[in-house]
Amino acid sequence: MTKTFIHGGTVVSPTGSQLLDVLVDGETIVAVLQPGATALGADLAASADVAINATGKYVIPGGVDGHTHMQLPFGGTEASDTFETGTRAAAWGGTTTIVDFAVQKPGERVQDTLGLWHEKAAGNCAIDYGFHQIIGEVNDESLKGMSELVAEGVTSFKLFMAYPGVFYSDDGQILRAMQSAGDLGALLMMHAENGIAIDVLVEQALARGETSPYYHGVSRPWQMEEEATHRAIMLAQLTNAPLYVVHVSAKQAMEQIAAARGNGQNVFGETCPQYLYLSLEEHLGAPGFEGAKWVCSTPLRSKVEGHQDELWRYIRTGDVTSVSTDHCPFCMKDQKELGLGDFSKIPNGIGGVEHRMDLMFQGVKNGLISLERWVEVCCTTPARMFGMYPRKGVISPGADADIVIYDPTGHTSIGFGKTHHMNMDHSAWEGFEIDGHVDKVLSRGRVIIDDGSYLGSAGHGRFITRELSQNLI
């Protein structure tokens, strides 16, 4: 097995940053040592097969993106990234583990759909991966299937209060699923928007001739997100189910989550970089059909109303548990263009799995979050939230050697044809400049990114059998 010695760098964890050396044997971290000119350090550097000089750089756990959608069928098309292209792009950006979503549709067995997603991913992933299970039809058989999946290491389940006729669950179905999740100790994830009311608003907007991408956001107002979030919290409280609200974009919805957490409830909120940087006015409201690039649900919110600033604040206070991407990419040509003349037909999704670590580090450079909080929300807490800690999300003996060498003095220009490796014909992050750079990425001890070169391969990534959430109160 290859021995790798990483020396001279600053190891960052949620609890602090310290100059430390890291010894990797094969796929595993075996020692984290005080640095420098000790005889032991010198001996390790000399005896290692590979020595990596990380002087002046951060040594952080590989990123854990707990919310991606590779090859997701949606809106008459399919997300443009395969498990091969999407995980390769993730690696370029310092993410070494994703948790994707297997999708059950009405009439299907959850066990069968999980098997289908295993077939899509097996032998194709450049980094490690796990699955959540979307429950598209809550019935006795699906609820029984939840128990079987937990035993197989799929310990989180997603429901939708949005998309009537596609994924939607009514309150009675949500109640039953939460009762099962509570009994199993499994995590219930929720897309919290009032889909029934939103459909009426969409119909009314189109009848008025309001067809451009801007009206995607206008027809999904923050009240629909806050109301659904509150309703989900109440149902979770009744059933004693842990609740994880995905892609929170509205400050009012996060306020509901913060209040529930303050009352001691196991409620967690996720946000995404698009809700921290992008806006209804500037992006969805771009001229012509350009705003389609940024159509996603929940939608981008108004910058004037202060949603972005408040979400950064909630990251600082700890009420935002983790930052994921909701990576669900679609090309403009032949995909987003399905919604020309009717915003409701634009496939919902933004590509970003490659850029999350950089975008959140820019928050460090801008003084919005601490260095330690960066690692916490992007690496450690997602690993704990989804039952992969301490195997993932930490630089510690016994952990998988998923390690990123990050240069805080480097620079990254994001954009199509620059740092863009996702299978898309545009970049939602075109023109963003990052005061930092991913230099090296190790996945289970193997260097897969090295100073601008990709050394990984499809099939290196393994399926992660997850435990129950380790982040509950």
Side-chain angles (χ1 to χ4, degrees):
M1 291 190 294
T2 301
K3 285 188 177 181
T4 302
F5 185 58
I6 303 170
H7 59 94
T10 300
V11 173
V12 184
S13 77
T15 56
S17 305
Q18 188 176 359
L19 285 171
L20 294 168
D21 295 338
V22 180
L23 179 63
V24 173
D25 191 355
E27 298 189 344
T28 306
I29 297 170
V30 294
V32 181
L33 308 156
Q34 293 294 326
T38 64
L40 178 61
D43 290 344
L44 287 172
S47 63
D49 302 297
V50 177
I52 297 174
N53 185 351
T55 300
K57 300 174 183 178
Y58 297 131
V59 180
I60 66 171
V64 178
D65 191 341
H67 189 157
T68 67
H69 297 286
M70 309 299 176
Q71 297 176 237
L72 173 71
F74 188 83
T77 185
E78 182 175 282
S80 57
D81 261 322
T82 65
F83 277 91
E84 181 176 358
T85 64
T87 57
R88 183 170 65 236
W92 274 103
T95 288
T96 56
T97 306
I98 62 166
V99 191
D100 207 84
F101 288 83
V103 181
Q104 179 219 22
K105 297 177 182 177
E108 298 176 334
R109 295 175 69 248
V110 293
Q111 300 93 326
D112 294 338
T113 58
L114 177 62
L116 176 60
W117 255 258
H118 273 299
E119 290 177 10
K120 291 182 180 186
N124 293 315
C125 294
I127 58 174
D128 289 352
Y129 63 97
F131 291 123
H132 311 290
Q133 177 69 51
I134 289 174
I135 305 294
E137 183 178 28
V138 178
N139 54 31
D140 290 343
E141 186 175 10
S142 297
L143 297 176
K144 180 182 177 182
M146 289 173 66
S147 177
E148 294 181 24
L149 265 60
V150 167
E152 295 177 20
V154 177
T155 57
S156 43
F157 302 89
K158 184 180 179 183
L159 298 179
F160 288 79
M161 303 168 102
Y163 305 128
V166 183
F167 294 131
Y168 174 78
S169 294
D170 64 31
D171 287 356
Q173 292 168 322
I174 292 169
L175 177 70
R176 293 188 68 198
M178 284 185 170
Q179 287 171 332
S180 293
D183 290 343
L184 292 167
L187 186 66
L188 204 292
M189 308 172 75
M190 187 65 72
H191 179 134
E193 288 184 291
N194 188 323
I196 299 295
I198 285 170
D199 275 6
V200 173
L201 294 174
V202 169
E203 182 181 355
Q204 291 173 343
L206 293 174
R208 291 191 297 267
E210 298 168 347
T211 62
S212 72
Y214 175 78
Y215 293 100
H216 169 79
V218 172
S219 63
R220 307 181 87 95
W222 62 260
Q223 290 90 342
M224 299 295 94
E225 186 180 354
E226 182 186 22
E227 183 277 330
T229 301
H230 176 75
R231 186 159 32 104
I233 289 169
M234 292 298 98
L235 291 169
Q237 185 182 58
L238 177 66
T239 57
N240 198 34
L243 174 66
Y244 182 92
V245 184
V246 297
H247 50 54
V248 179
S249 63
K251 63 182 181 180
Q252 295 88 350
M254 190 55 72
E255 184 178 8
Q256 294 287 333
I257 293 167
R261 291 173 60 77
N263 290 330
Q265 194 173 345
N266 271 315
V267 175
F268 308 92
E270 162 199 280
T271 195
C272 309
Q274 53 264 37
Y275 306 123
L276 299 169
Y277 286 102
L278 309 179
S279 71
L280 170 69
E281 297 91 350
E282 182 181 356
H283 296 91
L284 279 178
F289 192 65
E290 194 74 2
K293 293 177 179 178
W294 299 285
V295 165
C296 60
S297 296
T298 55
L300 305 184
R301 298 295 178 192
S302 169
K303 191 165 188 177
V304 175
E305 293 176 355
H307 296 278
Q308 293 84 354
D309 290 343
E310 279 296 281
L311 289 175
W312 280 112
R313 184 179 71 83
Y314 279 119
I315 294 175
R316 291 193 295 274
T317 63
D319 292 300
V320 168
T321 299
S322 62
V323 176
S324 302
T325 58
D326 191 13
H327 177 74
C328 193
F330 298 99
C331 293
M332 286 290 281
K333 185 173 176 55
D334 298 329
Q335 292 190 303
K336 292 284 189 176
E337 288 177 356
L338 292 169
L340 277 167
D342 182 350
F343 69 82
S344 70
K345 291 183 170 57
I346 301 171
N348 285 208
I350 289 178
V353 72
E354 185 173 353
H355 304 313
R356 178 183 63 121
M357 297 297 291
D358 283 327
L359 289 165
M360 294 310 296
F361 183 74
Q362 191 61 47
V364 177
K365 298 292 281 191
N366 292 347
L368 295 169
I369 57 172
S370 69
L371 184 65
E372 291 76 16
R373 190 75 177 124
W374 172 51
V375 168
E376 188 170 11
V377 297
C378 291
C379 311
T380 308
T381 299
R384 289 175 53 82
M385 195 75 244
F386 300 120
M388 297 182 285
Y389 185 87
R391 180 176 177 183
K392 304 293 186 184
V394 65
I395 304 290
S396 180
D400 284 353
D402 296 343
I403 300 170
V404 175
I405 311 300
Y406 198 90
D407 184 359
T409 66
H411 188 82
T412 303
S413 297
I414 300 180
F416 189 68
K418 299 175 184 175
T419 55
H420 180 97
H421 301 88
M422 299 173 288
N423 189 29
M424 300 173 67
D425 61 3
H426 68 279
S427 173
W429 301 98
E430 191 71 45
F432 273 67
E433 302 290 338
I434 304 299
D435 297 317
H437 187 263
V438 173
D439 274 6
K440 286 183 172 57
V441 179
L442 284 71
S443 171
R444 299 196 326 274
R446 176 182 173 183
V447 176
I448 59 174
I449 300 294
D450 187 8
D451 293 330
S453 297
Y454 176 70
L455 306 178
S457 61
H460 168 76
R462 294 176 184 166
F463 172 70
I464 303 298
T465 301
R466 297 184 293 115
E467 300 176 12
L468 297 177
S469 177
Q470 299 144 330
N471 206 48
L472 305 186
I473 299 172

